[in-house]
Amino acid sequence: MSAVTNAEELKTGSSWGGGKSPFSIEYGKLMMWFFLLSDAFTFSALLSAYGAIRFSNSDNWPDPDVVFQSAPFIPSGAPLVFVGIMTFILIMSSVTMVLAVEAGHRGSKKEVTKWMVWTILGGIAFLSCQAYEWAHLHHEGYWWGRIPTEHNVNFSNLFFTITGFHGFHVTTGVIINIIILINVLKGTYERRGHYLMVEKVGLYWHFVDLVWVFVFTFFYLV
């Protein structure tokens, strides 16, 4: 590459001089995929640690059917009902996010606004349910560093650490969605001529939902 070409690149701010880009994807979206990949490694490490500790202490590990019975207005003896409701809420919020992205592709500001609102409400509802469940488990004696006598204390430590880390991601997603919604209402993306930011935050939201499927399986079903 000639010195003249290098000088031109410095002026224009471009560093790609090889013709067609090898990636048919927008730069910001590519960076989001890299972030999600690194985050997936973190959750994988946490869940792998949980699996190793649990199956090496299977004789004194709490029974999920006994622990997870925290459902308002539902009598005791209906295990997993409440977490099933939580999971349904989060999955439906992923559906509304898909609809928001699709509406963005059509440039429909009104529909993007509607589906983003529903996605945010779904995230808030999920977090509220998680707060209720944590309060219930705390009341029952399951908390960081504490657990009913015959059970392994590692359960409570791992459960609250991993679900708390996931809850932090959901909270972050709700905040980002609110920021995106404000920009939608202000017409920011209409002026840009695209709703690519909605699609980027959608990738993050779907990742959070996918991670919950694994957390749900590891803690509540296995």
Side-chain angles (χ1 to χ4, degrees), residues 47-118:
L47 290 174
S48 296
Y50 167 78
I53 293 173
R54 172 173 180 174
F55 289 108
S56 64
N57 296 275
S58 56
D59 292 339
N60 62 340
W61 204 261
D63 183 355
D65 287 347
V66 175
V67 176
F68 301 112
Q69 298 192 37
S70 52
F73 314 116
I74 298 177
S76 178
L80 303 182
V81 172
F82 192 56
V83 71
I85 295 171
M86 290 171 59
T87 303
F88 176 77
I89 290 171
L90 201 58
I91 290 174
M92 289 307 299
S93 74
S94 194
V95 172
T96 57
M97 178 57 82
V98 168
L99 295 172
V101 172
E102 190 275 332
H105 288 160
R106 292 187 283 105
S108 176
K109 176 181 175 181
K110 182 178 179 181
E111 289 187 58
V112 172
T113 301
K114 176 178 72 173
W115 295 121
M116 287 296 294
V117 168
W118 279 112

Side-chain angles (χ1 to χ4, degrees), residues 138-212:
H138 179 269
H139 180 265
E140 293 296 314
Y142 299 92
W143 196 238
W144 268 297
R146 297 207 317 265
I147 204 164
T149 54
E150 74 276 12
H151 295 145
N152 196 305
V153 74
N154 285 320
F155 169 81
S156 61
N157 293 339
L158 287 165
F159 174 80
F160 288 108
T161 297
I162 295 176
T163 59
F165 190 50
H166 177 266
F168 169 77
H169 279 70
V170 176
T171 303
T172 303
V174 169
I175 293 171
I176 295 173
N177 281 339
I178 291 173
I179 294 171
I180 297 299
L181 175 61
I182 292 171
N183 285 331
V184 170
L185 294 172
K186 290 168 61 178
T188 301
Y189 307 124
E190 274 191 321
R191 290 191 293 273
R192 291 181 185 177
H194 60 77
Y195 284 81
L196 190 58
M197 284 302 300
V198 176
E199 188 172 350
K200 290 176 189 176
V201 77
L203 291 173
Y204 177 85
W205 195 255
H206 297 321
F207 170 78
V208 168
D209 289 1
L210 179 61
V211 167
W212 178 253

